[in-house]
Amino acid sequence: MRDDETPPQTPTGTLSPATPTAPGTPGTDTPAAQAGPAAWVLRLVAVGLVLTALNLRPAITSLGALLEEVRDGLHMSGSVAGVLTSVPPLCFAVFGIMAPRLARRFGPGAVVCAGMTAITAGLVIRPLVGGTAGFLAASALALMGIAVSNVLMPVIVKRWFPDRVGSMTGLYSMALALGTSLAAAVTVPMTEAMGGSWKAGLGIWAVLAAAAVLPWIPLVRDRHAASGQPSARQARTPELRITRSRTAWALACFFGLQATAAYITMGWMPQIFRDAGVSAGTAGVLLAVTMAMGVPLAFVIPRVAARMRNQGPIVVFLGACGLAGYAGLYLAPSGGAWAWAVLLGVSNCAFPLALTMISMRSRSGAGVVRLSAFAQSCGYLISIPGPLLVGVLYQHSGGWGLPIGLMAALMVPQMVAGTLAGRDRTIEDEC
């Protein structure tokens, strides 16, 4: 751990990291002044991280499970439905860039609390509106909350757990993967259990989002945590010109390409298997297997990555799994379907690796905020064309050869960008 990643010191029992004071300052030599945040405070933040991560995808995957029913209920055209499926990465890019300014003004904890509130409100409102425009607006509200929380998760980890970046990133990444797969798996059965109403099936996820608001309330009420004022050292640090950092650009490209692969997998893998003769039910289970691989590996990979000075070997290993999975889909999609699903699930764990590298590629909390917003916003913009291009190639070629070739080809620059982003350096060295 670098010297300037030393955990911030606060009086025992306070809610937030305090600004370090010079030795000899009155009141700083007492044991209480040298102690860190109370254990119960750190436990509360950890609970907040887990609950927040659980809510960062159900608004999307629950809609995907009920998209046909929503289209019929709102008389939504196919083109509008296509736009709806492309909205999440666009919102993540547009709204995520707002997170650093909001975090400086109100504090990361307060912004995440507001994000969870926005998700709750959006999930409550969108089943109640009667038209497509209102449904899109309510979805955008929920996605705005997801976007700012996406960006600030690495910041919260860096601020509260600077000596446990790998384990805490793994914890919330595992929770994010669990929330993703859980919503995809249980939304339809829950909808059927509640009478078959798609409105109830979508709205029920607001309960989980509301629970995620609660742990952050003490941080909002704490004046020091909400102030967002930098420490004396941070105040003297020049403003980072992050666009000058080659590491930041490499990390943005790596994030965008892994997101492209993930969205293509979620959107098209079941259809690939179905076109190869696999039943619809089995194709759905294969997708669930792919997504479920992220639950254990999302906890393990960040812990391993945080112990390594260079994360390039992990990037190459995950990319090799992806290339093997795509080769299997091309050569024998049905014969080895389970193996290809597992390999692509392992490859998709580039996401928690990217989050870990965001926390490791800056020496300060302020730098992590800037880097997280830059990498995720640019990355999600990069990811938008991928799934659409796969659909176009599939429609015009009449088969999956060209689309799978594109997926495999994109894995190569992903491995190159990830290797460059995984080098042992920080953005402060380059800006």
Side-chain angles (χ1 to χ4, degrees):
M1 186 173 67
R2 297 180 177 87
D3 292 339
D4 42 352
E5 288 181 351
T6 302
Q9 304 295 311
T10 66
T12 302
T14 58
L15 293 179
S16 62
T19 301
T21 52
T25 302
T28 62
D29 295 329
T30 64
Q34 298 300 322
W40 71 266
V41 178
L42 294 179
R43 285 195 292 268
L44 185 66
V45 175
V47 170
L49 279 170
V50 171
L51 287 176
T52 297
L54 283 171
N55 282 281
L56 293 182
R57 294 298 180 270
I60 302 168
T61 50
S62 62
L63 176 59
L66 296 173
L67 185 58
E68 184 175 346
E69 289 79 4
V70 173
R71 286 181 57 187
D72 293 340
L74 296 178
H75 308 292
M76 190 182 296
S77 68
S79 59
V80 173
V83 170
L84 186 60
T85 59
S86 302
V87 164
L90 179 61
C91 286
F92 292 165
V94 172
F95 295 125
I97 203 70
M98 299 162 46
R101 180 175 298 180
L102 293 172
R104 287 195 298 269
R105 175 66 179 86
F106 301 105
V111 177
V112 172
C113 184
M116 293 298 102
T117 303
I119 295 172
T120 305
L123 293 178
V124 169
I125 294 171
R126 72 178 182 179
L128 302 179
V129 296
T132 299
F135 189 90
L136 287 171
S139 296
L141 176 62
L143 292 169
M144 179 175 65
I146 295 172
V148 295
S149 301
N150 270 336
V151 170
L152 294 179
M153 288 292 96
V155 179
I156 296 289
V157 169
K158 183 79 168 183
R159 180 171 181 173
W160 289 93
F161 306 98
D163 54 341
R164 286 179 280 168
V165 168
S167 59
M168 296 307 298
T169 301
L171 181 64
Y172 84 74
S173 297
M174 183 176 65
L176 193 153
L178 180 61
T180 303
S181 55
L182 186 67
V186 307
T187 295
V188 172
M190 284 197 310
T191 301
E192 294 173 351
M194 291 184 292
S197 169
W198 64 265
K199 295 183 177 182
L202 293 182
I204 192 65
W205 292 102
V207 177
L208 183 62
V213 176
L214 302 178
W216 300 107
I217 292 177
L219 293 178
V220 175
R221 296 178 61 186
D222 184 74
R223 301 298 297 176
H224 185 83
S227 66
Q229 295 181 2
S231 67
R233 179 176 59 194
Q234 291 171 332
R236 294 193 299 268
T237 302
E239 184 73 12
L240 291 174
R241 298 181 180 180
I242 200 163
T243 55
R244 293 186 175 182
S245 169
R246 288 171 291 181
T247 297
W249 280 109
L251 192 49
C253 291
F254 176 61
F255 193 97
L257 290 167
Q258 67 79 28
T260 299
Y263 280 110
I264 290 174
T265 299
M266 287 187 288
W268 291 108
M269 195 178 79
Q271 192 63 50
I272 295 175
F273 285 129
R274 292 182 68 175
D275 287 352
V278 177
S279 68
T282 302
V285 173
L286 287 167
L287 178 60
V289 168
T290 299
M291 304 308 299
M293 291 299 298
V295 177
L297 291 179
F299 185 70
V300 173
I301 288 176
R303 292 170 65 92
V304 175
R307 294 187 176 97
M308 300 173 66
R309 296 180 64 87
N310 188 323
Q311 291 75 44
I314 304 179
V315 171
V316 173
F317 170 74
L318 297 178
C321 289
L323 289 173
Y326 291 136
L329 284 179
Y330 182 84
L331 297 173
S334 60
W338 296 99
W340 318 143
V342 169
L343 285 169
L344 291 174
V346 174
S347 179
N348 280 347
C349 289
F351 174 69
L353 177 60
L355 295 178
T356 306
M357 288 197 289
I358 287 173
S359 295
M360 297 179 68
R361 295 288 88 89
S362 176
R363 291 194 292 264
S364 68
V368 174
V369 174
R370 295 289 304 279
L371 180 57
S372 183
F374 178 79
Q376 294 200 45
S377 294
C378 292
Y380 281 121
L381 282 175
I382 292 171
S383 73
I384 292 173
L388 300 176
L389 184 56
V390 166
V392 170
L393 289 176
Y394 173 59
Q395 181 177 350
H396 283 80
S397 67
W400 285 106
L402 283 177
I404 292 174
L406 173 65
M407 298 176 207
L410 290 175
M411 191 60 64
V412 176
Q414 176 180 322
M415 295 165 69
V416 173
T419 300
L420 293 175
R423 294 175 298 175
D424 184 25
R425 59 188 62 189
T426 62
I427 57 174
E428 287 85 356
D429 298 330
E430 301 174 337
C431 295

